[in-house]
Amino acid sequence: MLLRSRASTTTEDGVPVRSRSTTAPGRAAGFRDWRRGRPFVGGLLAALGGVEMFFSGQLDLGHLHIQLGIEGLQATVIPIALVLLGVLSVTMPAHHVFYGILTLVVAIYSLVGVNMGGFIIGMLLSGAGGVLVVAWMGPPGAARGKRTE
């Protein structure tokens, strides 16, 4: 059947079945544990938005060249800042709120500074990444500000 409630945790002989996470190779399980302790998806989306903005700022559409004057500097600095903020939010999760708010501010400013935010796509990717970084709650099972009385 397509709809099964849960897989059995023991075989017919009564031997417990190992879950996928315990049978995964060491590197994959280690990366999975590392990724779960960080705002990985938000940082990845912020960095992808920056990469998209960088390539949209270097475009030639027919006879229209889209990089002019001081905006040319912004079309380079803003995407690099977004990639850096995405990487920093993943590597230093203790400061995730700060990096997420900066990512949101830079993503919104990119509407003015980088070809309408990388033709809206880069701004949306970076904005969604910034929201996910700010909303990240920490690793599962960690104590989250519990008060001891």
Side-chain angles (χ1 to χ4, degrees), residues 37-70:
R38 298 163 188 283
F40 185 76
V41 174
L44 182 67
L45 284 177
L48 285 177
V51 168
E52 194 277 332
M53 278 187 213
F54 181 76
F55 287 120
S56 73
Q58 313 297 326
L59 285 180
D60 280 329
L61 297 176
H63 298 288
L64 179 65
H65 185 68
I66 307 182
Q67 186 175 2
L68 304 170
I70 192 69

Side-chain angles (χ1 to χ4, degrees), residues 2 8 27 33 35 39 51 55 70 96 110 119 133-134 139:
L2 292 175
S8 174
R27 292 180 105 179
D33 292 339
R35 179 182 47 105
V51 168
F55 287 120
I70 192 69
H96 68 97
S110 72
F119 301 115
V133 168
V134 170

